[in-house]
């Protein structure tokens, strides 16, 4: 089959700028073949090369005594003691999910699960962070239903519990939803597998499902803005099969026990191209591939299609040749393809043959090592104007305004579609703060949370970045877990616009400051840029996924409020209403500055909660909606009324940071107050849990009525 001639239009269609194409000519000293152009396009797009973000990502703290493996591998790895490690990462599947919601979300879940078990870890928990347009936008209902079904369809069939996440709505996501998928797995510290190839003349083995034409060009599509040609991009979305992935995981973990694996890499974005180049580059070796040996499910596939296909449920491995028979037997038992498709070579060379014909012959290391790296111009986000006066509102009316919005209504409609207890180790399901699982066969537990408040980040990227980390720290501390480390999923608009790049730079600064101060290094992550449609960008959304440990001998804080419990507020309240949920939902305003984040107070107050867990019956952090929403949610979950001795709007609905609401018995409250005084922590009695109504000062409504609104509003808006 005749390959097309390389034209200016073809270069542009591959997402390459003229100066990038000139760099290719300089590297290889000639015009590339069509397949070579595709390979460069795949390796040098934003999604794979991080060319706009690398400069800033290097500034993030990634080390700590608990870190076994930081960014650069399939996932990050953190030591949790006793020879156990937690392996985790978060990644976006935004563009595919907007084009094809079910498959886009499903394959996002599949890809992040592969990242985890590729490293020798059995997945034990999943989360997702979802951002959609306004509920009455013509696409929102279709997107919400398709994405939630896709997340559930894949995760439930694969058999991993979804233990947490978040869902938000805002007009800025009308043309570009966000689907951020998180997975965590458990491994033994002496049985971790990496992707760097080693040894010359070692077999390169293709594992898993067959290669088709689905997803060809997917990584390039994910590095572009949307416009009115969006429907043409549908073939670039991959199709997933969770049952094949389940078999692939079991076969991979069994294969790892044979000792046959030298290195292993998931075939994710850019498929065979990216996996082969990364393995070779990390091992400082070349790779030769014979494409006629690649298992194919479609006829007459070209070298270009095979190299750029993003068909799912596939892995690439470098194998110890003497153990080939043993390794092959494992994959044949699980009815999966096992094919030797090439070998490692001594030269720095990426050699692609198809039926004896050379389709690509490139120096391998420049494909990743010489990818363009940009120091994009950026402008600092202007300081927000001071908040104009905010009218007082009847406290219960304010609460009703929040809980009737799908942003703050109960998300049962979402997480009841997910299997939250499969594997039998879930200790806290979605709906009340961090998800918690037991580390099977031990007395340890792990907690997981996902957090960001995009309104804050838009108003003040530095404080918004800090707040995302601080809220994750609080959510973990509120269940008694010591925060260990984080993964970030940085979703922004077009980085070629200085104001968007300024949002990114500011958020990175804030995140870096917070993870350093709170000992939560970034160990893995993902950058998703160009989240725009027709020039309109999403809100800057740097999602923080965080993991915490409840050590053996420590009790988690997983109880509920009970009739007669005292309500204690930990932390300082100044009534900050800028960029608050109350302003957005009740007054339709997004003005003022984001709340200031005092990282020293965050650390001190979080440590106080964890150190005093024995006196605390139930705990939640205060975030969106402030004291009012936190008190209601705690009461609603327990089915008991609450009386808060406050009705002042800023005090009830203000979103000052570093705060927690605690429920406990009277004698425990006394002990907490004494301990707080010793620790220099602000603590205030604000009311009690009792009766069957929610009462803020003199404003009151029945818990039953409010609960009905809270539990029905989400489905009413989008189901």
């Amino acid at each position: 089959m005749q390959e097309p001639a390389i034209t200016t239009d073809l270069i542009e269609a591959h997402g390459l700028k003229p100066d990038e194409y000139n760099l290719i000519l300089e590297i290889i000293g000639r015009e590339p073949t069509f397949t070579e152009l595709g390979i460069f396009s795949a390796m040098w797009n934003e999604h794979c090369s991080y060319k706009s973000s690398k400069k800033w990502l290097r500034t993030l703290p990634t080390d700590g005594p608990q870190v076994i493996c930081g960014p650069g591998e399939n996932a990050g790895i953190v030591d949790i003691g006793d020879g156990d490690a937690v392996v985790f990462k978060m990644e976006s599947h935004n563009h595919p999910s907007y084009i094809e919601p079910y498959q886009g979300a499903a394959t996002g879940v599949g890809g992040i699960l592969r990242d985890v078990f590729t490293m020798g870890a059995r997945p034990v928990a999943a989360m997702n962070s979802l951002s959609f347009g306004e509920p009455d936008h013509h696409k929102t209902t279709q997107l919400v239903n398709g994405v939630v079904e896709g997340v559930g369809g894949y995760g439930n069939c694969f058999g991993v519990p979804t233990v947490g996440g978040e869902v938000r709505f805002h007009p800025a996501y009308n043309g570009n939803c966000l689907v951020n998928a998180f997975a965590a797995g458990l491994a033994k510290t002496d049985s971790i597998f990496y992707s760097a190839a080693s040894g010359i003349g070692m077999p390169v083995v293709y594992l898993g499902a067959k290669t088709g034409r689905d997803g060809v060009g997917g990584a390039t599509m994910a590095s572009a803005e949307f416009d009115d040609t969006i429907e043409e991009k549908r073939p670039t979305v991959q199709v997933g099969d969770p049952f094949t992935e389940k078999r692939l995981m079991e076969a991979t973990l069994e294969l790892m026990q044979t000792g046959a694996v030298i290195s292993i890499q998931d075939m994710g974005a850019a498929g065979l191209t990216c996996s082969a180049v990364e393995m070779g580059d990390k091992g400082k070796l070349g790779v030769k591939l014979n494409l006629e040996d690649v298992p194919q499910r479609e006829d007459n596939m070209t070298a270009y299609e095979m190299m750029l296909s993003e068909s799912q449920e596939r892995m690439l491995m470098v194998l110890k040749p003497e153990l080939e028979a043993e390794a092959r037997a494992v994959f044949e038992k699980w009815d999966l393809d096992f094919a030797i498709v090439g070998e490692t070579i001594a030269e720095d060379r990426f050699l692609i043959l198809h039926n004896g014909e050379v389709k690509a012959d490139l120096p391998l290391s420049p494909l990743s090592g010489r990818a363009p790296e940009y120091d994009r111009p950026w402008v600092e986000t202007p300081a927000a104007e001071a908040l104009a006066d905010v009218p007082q509102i009847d406290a219960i009316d304010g609460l009703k305004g929040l809980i009737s919005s799908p942003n703050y209504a109960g998300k049962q409609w979402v997480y009841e579609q997910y299997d939250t207890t499969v594997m039998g180790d879930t200790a806290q399901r979605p709906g009340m703060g961090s998800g918690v699982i037991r580390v099977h066969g031990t007395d340890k537990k792990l907690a997981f949370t996902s957090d960001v408040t995009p309104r804050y980040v838009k108003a003040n990227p530095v404080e918004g970045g800090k707040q995302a980390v601080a809220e994750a720290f609080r959510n973990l501390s509120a269940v008694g877990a010591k925060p260990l480390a984080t993964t970030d999923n940085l979703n922004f608009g077009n980085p070629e616009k200085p104001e968007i790049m300024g949002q990114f730079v500011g958020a990175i600064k804030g995140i870096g400051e917070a993870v350093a101060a709170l000992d939560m290094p970034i160990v893995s992550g993902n950058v998703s840029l160009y989240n725009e449609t027709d020039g309109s960008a999403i809100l800057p959304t740097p999602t923080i996924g965080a993991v915490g440990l409840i050590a053996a001998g420590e009790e988690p804080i997983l109880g509920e409020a009970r009739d007669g419990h005292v309500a204690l507020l930990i932390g300082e309240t100044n009534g900050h209403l800028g960029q608050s949920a109350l302003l957005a939902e009740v007054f339709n305003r997004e003005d003022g500055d984001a709340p200031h984040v005092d990282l020293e107070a965050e650390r001190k107050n979080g440590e106080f909660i964890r150190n005093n867990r024995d006196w605390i019956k139930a705990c939640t952090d205060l975030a969106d909606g402030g004291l009012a929403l936190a008190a209601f949610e705690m009461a609603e979950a327990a089915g008991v009324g609450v009386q808060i001795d406050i009705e002042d709007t800023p005090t009830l609905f203000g979103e000052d940071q570093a705060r927690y609401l605690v429920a406990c018995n009277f004698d425990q409250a006394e002990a907490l107050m004494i301990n707080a005084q010793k620790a220099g922590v602000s603590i205030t009695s604000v009311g009690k849990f009792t009766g069957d109504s929610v009462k803020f000062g003199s404003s009151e409504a029945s818990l039953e009525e409010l609960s009905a609104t809270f539990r029905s509003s989400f489905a009413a808006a989008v189901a």
Side-chain angles (χ1 to χ4, degrees):
M1 182 178 166
Q2 185 70 34
E3 289 195 341
I6 306 300
T7 63
T8 304
D9 287 347
L10 192 64
I11 294 163
E12 188 179 331
H14 280 75
L16 292 162
K17 302 274 198 296
D19 56 337
E20 293 173 342
Y21 183 71
N22 289 336
L23 180 57
I24 292 170
L25 297 179
E26 181 189 313
I27 288 169
I28 64 175
R30 57 175 171 79
E31 193 173 83
T33 66
F34 179 56
T35 301
E36 289 172 337
L37 182 72
I39 288 169
F40 271 107
S41 164
M43 291 303 301
W44 284 12
N45 66 60
E46 196 72 58
H47 193 73
C48 294
S49 74
Y50 296 95
K51 58 191 174 187
S52 297
S53 56
K54 273 191 288 201
K55 169 186 163 75
W56 298 102
L57 295 178
R58 291 191 192 102
T59 67
L60 289 170
T62 58
D63 295 326
Q66 71 275 43
V67 178
I68 294 173
C69 176
E73 273 291 341
N74 286 295
I77 309 176
V78 172
D79 196 327
I80 58 170
D82 313 305
D84 296 320
V86 59
V87 180
F88 63 98
K89 190 182 185 184
M90 191 175 229
E91 279 212 334
S92 59
H93 234 220
N94 304 336
H95 283 48
S97 299
Y98 190 75
I99 297 168
E100 186 62 68
Y102 184 95
Q103 291 296 349
T107 53
V109 173
I112 202 68
L113 290 168
R114 280 196 307 283
D115 280 337
V116 167
F117 69 74
T118 301
M119 302 202 72
R122 181 173 289 276
V124 293
M127 294 191 296
N128 51 82
S129 178
L130 312 176
S131 304
F132 299 105
E134 53 201 332
D136 56 2
H137 185 264
H138 69 277
K139 279 205 74 160
T140 299
T141 295
Q142 174 215 353
L143 289 170
V144 173
N145 283 266
V147 165
V148 171
E149 282 179 31
V151 169
Y154 205 101
N156 297 355
C157 294
F158 180 87
V160 64
T162 298
V163 299
E166 51 187 349
V167 187
R168 69 179 56 82
F169 299 86
H170 190 279
Y173 305 105
N174 279 348
N176 199 312
C177 66
L178 302 183
V179 176
N180 295 175
F182 170 100
L186 289 167
K188 290 295 180 184
T189 54
D190 59 358
S191 300
I192 292 166
F193 291 82
Y194 297 100
S195 58
S198 66
I200 295 162
M202 296 297 165
V204 174
V205 184
Y206 173 113
L207 306 168
K210 289 178 166 51
T211 293
R213 291 187 171 94
D214 55 318
V216 172
T220 302
M221 172 272 292
S223 304
E225 292 182 41
F226 284 147
D227 53 29
D228 55 12
T229 64
I230 185 169
E231 284 302 314
E232 297 168 18
K233 297 181 170 74
R234 193 171 298 276
T236 62
V237 178
Q238 312 91 328
V239 178
D241 178 353
F243 295 110
T244 299
E245 176 119 335
K246 176 71 170 172
R247 288 184 289 126
L248 179 62
M249 177 190 72
E250 297 296 350
T252 301
L253 295 178
E254 188 175 327
L255 173 71
M256 288 167 170
Q257 301 306 309
T258 66
V261 179
I262 294 174
S263 66
I264 190 162
Q265 173 77 34
D266 156 46
M267 280 197 230
L272 195 51
T273 291
C274 198
S275 54
V277 170
E278 285 191 11
M279 289 173 83
D281 186 47
K282 287 174 185 172
K284 296 184 167 47
L285 292 168
V287 174
K288 173 185 172 185
L289 296 178
N290 299 303
L291 295 187
E292 64 273 15
D293 297 326
V294 170
Q296 299 159 54
R297 67 166 186 259
E298 298 186 48
D299 295 334
N300 303 317
M301 287 191 73
T302 64
Y304 178 94
E305 289 169 334
M306 280 186 270
M307 291 307 296
L308 298 190
S309 166
E310 293 184 11
S311 293
Q312 296 293 287
E313 294 87 41
R314 302 180 302 157
M315 316 274 263
L316 201 63
M317 171 180 75
V318 177
L319 171 78
K320 290 179 183 172
E322 67 273 17
L323 292 173
E324 180 193 335
E326 202 173 338
R328 185 183 294 276
V330 170
F331 272 73
E332 286 177 350
K333 181 183 88 173
W334 287 99
D335 194 24
L336 291 163
D337 279 297
F338 178 103
I340 294 175
V341 295
E343 62 179 343
T344 58
I345 55 179
E347 309 100 288
D348 178 24
R349 191 176 180 195
F350 194 37
L351 180 60
I352 311 299
L353 304 172
H354 191 205
N355 298 322
E357 188 181 338
V358 175
K359 292 295 183 180
D361 189 353
L362 299 168
L364 187 142
S365 58
L367 284 168
S368 57
R370 287 192 64 188
E373 183 175 329
Y374 295 121
D375 185 0
R376 301 258 187 221
W378 60 278
V379 294
E380 199 168 315
T381 301
E385 291 182 15
L387 183 64
D389 58 314
V390 179
Q392 292 281 332
I393 187 169
D394 175 82
I396 293 297
D397 287 347
L399 178 66
K400 286 178 178 175
L402 293 180
I403 63 174
S404 61
S405 158
N407 275 313
Y408 302 108
K411 306 297 190 293
Q412 290 85 349
W413 181 86
V414 176
Y415 58 74
E416 285 172 359
Q417 297 187 53
Y418 305 152
D419 193 332
T420 58
T421 59
V422 64
M423 303 179 83
D425 281 316
T426 304
Q428 176 155 285
R429 296 195 281 183
M432 249 335 257
S434 297
V436 180
I437 64 152
R438 292 174 284 272
V439 178
H440 197 78
T442 77
D443 190 27
K444 294 179 291 198
K445 297 174 184 67
L446 288 169
F448 304 97
T449 185
S450 162
D451 299 286
V452 65
T453 309
R455 287 191 315 276
Y456 293 172
V457 187
K458 185 178 184 190
N460 187 330
V462 176
E463 290 300 316
K466 280 161 61 176
Q467 192 276 338
V469 177
E471 187 173 345
F473 177 87
R474 289 199 302 274
N475 274 322
L476 296 175
S477 296
V479 296
K482 177 178 172 54
L484 290 178
T486 50
T487 180
D488 58 0
N489 202 151
L490 307 171
N491 308 274
F492 290 82
N494 184 344
E496 295 167 49
K497 297 177 179 175
E499 64 277 13
I500 299 290
M501 198 63 209
Q503 293 174 347
F504 183 85
V505 171
I508 288 277
K509 287 179 177 175
I511 290 167
E513 199 180 319
V515 298
L518 301 174
D519 289 336
M520 298 168 71
I522 301 272
V523 297
S524 59
N526 171 241
V527 178
S528 175
L529 303 175
Y530 296 96
N531 288 290
E532 300 201 1
T533 296
D534 295 327
S536 181
I538 60 162
L539 291 180
T541 311
T543 310
I544 298 294
V547 177
L549 175 67
I550 301 164
E554 291 180 339
E555 283 299 314
I557 306 170
L558 300 179
E560 291 185 335
R562 288 283 178 261
D563 202 341
H565 275 170
V566 178
L568 297 176
L569 178 61
I570 312 293
E572 296 275 356
T573 298
N574 297 307
H576 182 94
L577 282 170
Q579 298 299 331
S580 64
L582 182 78
L583 273 192
E585 299 295 345
V586 177
F587 297 108
N588 198 28
R589 288 169 53 181
E590 291 185 11
D591 50 341
D593 200 358
H596 171 68
V597 180
D598 181 338
L599 293 167
E600 192 179 327
E602 292 285 1
R603 187 181 188 116
K604 185 167 65 172
N605 296 356
E607 285 174 352
F608 175 79
I609 294 293
R610 298 196 303 273
N611 292 341
N612 288 275
R613 70 183 70 225
D614 293 347
W615 309 109
I616 296 171
K617 294 296 185 186
C619 181
T620 184
D621 89 302
L622 268 60
D624 292 68
L627 175 59
L629 190 58
F632 167 76
E633 287 181 341
M634 196 182 266
E636 201 276 338
V640 62
V642 63
Q643 293 180 12
I644 299 294
D645 308 324
I646 297 164
E647 54 188 319
D648 171 60
T649 299
T651 311
L652 266 183
F653 294 97
E655 296 181 5
D656 306 286
Q657 300 296 294
R659 297 188 302 158
Y660 300 82
L661 184 64
V662 164
C664 60
N665 296 326
F666 185 79
D667 56 339
Q668 295 165 327
E670 286 188 317
L672 283 170
M673 289 194 157
I674 292 166
N675 292 349
Q677 193 172 11
K678 289 177 185 169
V681 167
S682 171
I683 187 167
T684 315
S685 174
V686 292
K688 61 184 176 181
F689 292 90
T690 188
D692 57 6
S693 68
V694 174
K695 190 175 182 184
F696 297 146
S698 59
S699 184
E700 187 174 10
S702 89
L703 178 64
E704 185 179 12
E705 173 203 337
L706 294 171
S707 180
T709 300
F710 180 67
R711 288 177 175 260
S712 64
S713 294
F714 188 95
V718 296

